[in-house]
Amino acid sequence: MHQPPTRMDRELFLTSARITDWLREEDEGRLNVLWKLADDLRRQRVGDDVHLRGLVEISNHCLRRCAYCGINADNSVLPRYRMNAGEILECARRAKSLGFGTVVLQSGEDYGLTALLVSEVVRSIKGETGLAVTLSLGERPERDLAAWRAAGADRYLLRFETSDERLYARIHPPLAAGEPGRVALLGRLKRLDYETGSGVMVGLPGQRYESLADDVALFRRLDLDMIGIGPFIPHPGTALGQNVRAQSPAQVPATELMALKMLALARLACPEANIPATTAIATLDGREGYERALRCGANVVMPELTPWQYRALYEIYPGKAASQEDGEAAAVSVVARIRAVGRTVGAGPGSRRRGDQAPAAEGVPR
């Protein structure tokens, strides 16, 4: 009889020392234990459905100077774009026609996307398509976040990138002294009743294994509804991309394997969370990236629906896997890949399942 992991199993894996040990683990047989535990828990708590979220990158304007991001304000050679309301709505219609349950609107931190404009776009999408709407528009004032929630936005994604405060200060300069950090903003998003998502980059220059263990602990403490994890991919037009140094033994490598370890540990820490097989993981291993992530605890895939004329300009890192795929072709390909690993395509918005909403594992009572 198939036996899902018990809470005691997970707790044994989730002490800080054990997390660090797993992140350093290289033995394939030992890692198979981690993959199986995460995949079994995924099956028990969120089922075999893989939910499709249509990703639309609506603007590459950004007033931030983050040291890792290719669309940061210091990139003076990047042509900038901002989609209008009609273009965004057309992408949502396409997501609906392809059978997706959610549209994700992502951008740099762009105040040209006014609170009113985004509110009107959200209302139009909800009214015409009924899709769930996830926003990922950066650190905005609470009044903007509240207006978008009132307009019908369901989820907000704001990655804290690293729980290491010193490292975060190096990669993400504040706009002004005393502004709230991302962890504080995540708390405000929860109070506004958003489904709240966050995540980290794996392998940032200066990142330690102990920092990643702290990240997993923060996932648990925040009780995140969504968790996005991807490897750091250097962009040559950024400060970090221009100063990549030889790695020391204490430095976390920016590899697909390390990202998959974090993904599996995130599933153990937050069993009910929606966890995507991210494009960044697929970029490092385009052949099997999505499949490997789905076998390690992921239950979401985000095919890109950004119009062709804008897609290459949203280059937060180079060589994005999804940038070469048309929306419809990508959707057909993703569905085939999901089915090839024995999973099913989810219907509806795919919101977080809490407690007794979780599907019962075969032969095992809840």
Side-chain angles (χ1 to χ4, degrees), residues 22 40 67 94 106 119 126 141 225 238-239 245 292 307 324:
W22 279 113
D40 286 350
R94 194 173 191 194
Q106 185 177 65
S119 294
K126 299 293 288 187
D225 303 304
T238 64
R245 301 176 181 176
R292 292 189 70 187
Q324 304 303 314

Side-chain angles (χ1 to χ4, degrees), residues 288-310:
E288 289 284 333
Y290 286 137
E291 290 86 344
R292 292 189 70 187
L294 290 172
R295 293 186 183 106
C296 294
N299 71 314
V300 170
V301 176
M302 297 170 60
E304 184 163 355
L305 296 180
T306 307
W308 279 107
Q309 65 267 35
Y310 304 130

Side-chain angles (χ1 to χ4, degrees), residues 234-268:
H235 189 293
T238 64
L240 286 186
Q242 294 168 358
N243 294 288
V244 177
R245 301 176 181 176
Q247 292 189 348
S248 73
Q251 165 69 47
V252 173
T255 61
E256 179 205 12
L257 178 61
M258 190 61 60
L260 290 174
K261 292 177 191 178
M262 277 293 287
L263 190 156
L265 291 164
R267 172 59 67 198
L268 296 177

Side-chain angles (χ1 to χ4, degrees), residues 166-248:
R166 292 183 182 180
L167 178 57
Y168 184 79
R170 291 203 302 271
I171 68 172
H172 190 81
L175 289 176
E179 70 175 20
R182 290 198 170 189
V183 173
L185 280 173
L186 288 166
R188 295 180 184 182
L189 288 164
K190 279 186 164 290
R191 289 193 295 273
L192 290 169
D193 198 32
Y194 279 98
E195 279 199 6
T196 303
S198 195
V200 298
M201 280 185 288
V202 176
L204 285 163
Q207 189 175 54
R208 301 169 296 112
Y209 290 90
E210 293 76 12
S211 296
L212 286 181
D214 291 342
D215 292 343
V216 175
L218 186 53
F219 294 159
R220 294 185 88 186
R221 191 161 70 248
L222 292 171
D223 187 28
L224 293 171
D225 303 304
M226 305 174 285
I227 302 172
I229 293 168
F232 166 67
I233 301 176
H235 189 293
T238 64
L240 286 186
Q242 294 168 358
N243 294 288
V244 177
R245 301 176 181 176
Q247 292 189 348
S248 73

Side-chain angles (χ1 to χ4, degrees), residues 20 23 30 34 56 81 85 100 106 113 133 200 205 211 219 225 237 240 243 286 304 332 347:
T20 302
L23 292 170
R30 293 280 295 151
L34 178 61
V56 187
Y81 74 89
F100 299 175
Q106 185 177 65
L113 297 171
V133 177
V200 298
S211 296
F219 294 159
D225 303 304
L240 286 186
N243 294 288
E304 184 163 355
V332 171

Side-chain angles (χ1 to χ4, degrees), residues 115 119 123 140-153 156 188-189 192 194:
S119 294
R123 287 193 187 95
R140 297 288 292 242
E142 188 165 354
R143 62 181 179 275
D144 293 359
L145 301 173
W148 299 337
R149 181 72 183 106
Y156 204 96
R188 295 180 184 182
L189 288 164
L192 290 169
Y194 279 98

